[in-house]
Amino acid sequence: LLLGVCADEFSVLRSPQSVVFRDGSWPIPGERIPDVAALTMGFSVEDDLPWPGLGVGDLFHRPRATVLVTVKGVDKLALPAKGISYPIENAVPFSLDSVANAIHTLFSEETPVVLQLAPSEERVYMVGKANSVFEDLSVTLRQLRNRLFQDNSILSSLPLNSLSRNSEADLLFLSELQVLHDIASLLSRHKHLAKDRSPDLYSLELAGLEEIGKRYGEDSQQFKDASQILVDSLQKFADEMFNLYGGNAVVEVVAVKAFNSPLTRKSRSILQSSQSETETPYNLAYPYNYDYSVIFNIILWMMIGLALAVIVISYNLWNMDPGYDSIIYRMTNQKIRMD
C-alpha cells in the first residue's frame, strides 16, 4: 500500500549551497510541495513543515529563483545521479499561487519575474517583468505549433527517434520542450533581471508525455524515446537556468503519474459558518495568526525600550545640577557677570 501511495517523485536537479537538501528517502506530502518552494526562497509558511529532507541552510543568502517543473504521466524519471529525489506521499494537485503572491506583495516595487505556464491547457500567469521578458513566448496551442516549425526550433537539432511530426500527441510533447528552450533563450537576453535583489519564480506543467502514453502505450518505443528526450531536455534546461542566475537558483521536478483528486478551492458558505460557531458551547478564543509571535515581540521589546528610556531620562533630569549641567544657566550666569 505504501508503494502505491508514494509512487510519484520529487527531484531536485540543481540547488545552491545556501539551500540544504538532505540525501534520504523521506516521503514528502504532495500538498506541502508549495511550502518547500516557499521555505527555500526564505518565505514563512503558516504551518511548520516536519520534513527532514529540507535543512536550514544559509538564512542570509537565499536563491534568486525557484524553477518547478511538473511532469504528468510518469511516476519516475531516469534523472542524473547528482540530483536528489524523494517519494511523494498523496500526490494531490498543488499550486504556487501563495509563493507568487508573497513575491508580488514583498517585492512589488522591484523587478520580480513570475511565470506560471501550462502549455497543454493554454494556461499562463505572468507578474512583474515576465510580461516584457516573455512577450514573444508561445502560450497557445496554435502558437506552439507554429513556433515548432520555424527555422530556429528544436526540431533541427533534436533526435526524434520513433516520434513523428505528424502526430498530435508527439507535436504537443515537442512543443513543450520548445517552451523550455525558449524560456531560457528569452531570459538570456535580459540577464540583468537575474542579478537583481528580487526573487523570481517559474512554475511549468508538462502533459505531453502523458498524451504519448495514452496514444502509444507506456511500453511502446515512442514512450521510452520521449522519456529519454524529456530527461535530457530537463537537465539541459536546469543547467541553463542555474547558470543564468549565477548558480543561485533551485530547479525542481515533480513526476506524477496521476493526481489523486482534482484541484478545488476551499470555500465555506455563510450558513456553514454560522452553524459551526453555535456548535461549540465553550467561550474559546479565536485562533492566532502565524504572525502573532513576531508582532508580539516587536511591541513587547519596543515598550520595554521606551520604558527604560523614560526611567533613565527622568533620573538624569531629577539629579541634574542647574548650575553645571544646564547650558541655559551657564549662558545666563556669564551674561550677568559681563553686565
Side-chain angles (χ1 to χ4, degrees), residues 101-121:
N101 293 334
I103 294 176
H104 182 66
T105 302
L106 298 176
F107 300 91
S108 58
E109 298 181 358
E110 304 293 334
T111 57
V113 177
V114 178
L115 174 63
Q116 295 178 274
L117 179 63
S120 62
E121 301 178 4

Side-chain angles (χ1 to χ4, degrees), residues 46-280:
E46 295 188 11
D47 300 325
D48 293 336
L49 181 64
W51 182 58
L54 181 62
V56 177
D58 191 350
L59 299 177
F60 300 98
H61 297 85
R62 307 314 299 169
R64 295 177 180 172
T66 294
V67 183
L68 179 61
V69 182
T70 303
V71 179
K72 300 170 62 177
V74 62
D75 55 4
K76 186 176 182 180
L77 293 171
L79 297 172
K82 63 180 180 180
I84 304 177
S85 300
Y86 307 95
I88 299 178
E89 181 181 6
N90 188 23
V92 296
F94 60 89
S95 173
L96 298 185
D97 292 343
S98 59
V99 184
N101 293 334
I103 294 176
H104 182 66
T105 302
L106 298 176
F107 300 91
S108 58
E109 298 181 358
E110 304 293 334
T111 57
V113 177
V114 178
L115 174 63
Q116 295 178 274
L117 179 63
S120 62
E121 301 178 4
E122 297 185 352
R123 176 162 45 88
V124 60
Y125 175 73
M126 299 184 186
V127 173
K129 289 296 183 179
N131 292 284
S132 59
V133 175
F134 303 109
E135 181 180 3
D136 298 331
L137 185 66
S138 301
V139 294
T140 65
L141 295 177
R142 176 173 295 182
Q143 292 175 351
L144 291 172
R145 171 170 293 190
N146 295 335
R147 174 69 182 92
L148 197 59
F149 287 98
Q150 293 179 2
D151 296 335
N152 57 346
S153 69
I154 60 174
L155 292 181
S156 58
S157 58
L158 190 68
L160 299 181
N161 297 332
S162 60
L163 300 181
S164 173
R165 300 187 181 187
N166 300 321
S167 174
E168 293 291 337
D170 297 5
L171 290 177
L172 175 62
F173 171 76
L174 296 173
S175 298
E176 293 177 344
L177 301 184
Q178 182 67 54
V179 170
L180 297 179
H181 176 270
D182 290 343
I183 289 176
S185 177
L186 293 173
L187 185 61
S188 63
R189 304 176 188 176
H190 303 80
K191 293 183 178 180
H192 63 282
L193 295 177
K195 300 179 180 179
D196 56 11
R197 60 181 297 271
S198 59
D200 301 335
L201 177 66
Y202 303 87
S203 177
L204 310 174
E205 184 176 312
L206 308 181
L209 187 62
E210 181 182 24
E211 296 299 324
I212 289 183
K214 294 178 181 179
R215 174 69 173 81
Y216 302 104
E218 297 182 2
D219 296 331
S220 62
Q221 187 63 36
Q222 289 86 347
F223 186 83
K224 295 179 182 178
D225 292 341
S227 299
Q228 185 59 45
I229 294 174
L230 178 60
V231 168
D232 296 339
S233 300
L234 287 175
Q235 188 60 52
K236 180 181 178 182
F237 175 70
D239 295 338
E240 291 175 348
M241 297 296 288
F242 188 77
N243 294 330
L244 284 173
Y245 282 92
N248 197 11
V250 179
V251 184
E252 303 161 336
V253 175
V254 175
V256 179
K257 180 68 175 179
F259 287 115
N260 295 336
S261 61
L263 180 61
T264 57
R265 297 188 180 274
K266 296 181 179 180
S267 61
R268 191 173 65 169
S269 63
I270 299 177
L271 179 60
Q272 181 182 356
S273 176
S274 61
Q275 290 176 353
S276 61
E277 291 176 357
T278 57
E279 287 176 358
T280 305

Side-chain angles (χ1 to χ4, degrees), residues 309-323 325-329:
V310 170
I311 293 174
V312 173
I313 294 173
S314 300
Y315 177 80
N316 290 325
L317 288 175
W318 184 265
N319 296 277
M320 183 179 66
D321 187 355
D325 298 335
S326 177
I327 190 174
I328 299 176
Y329 284 93

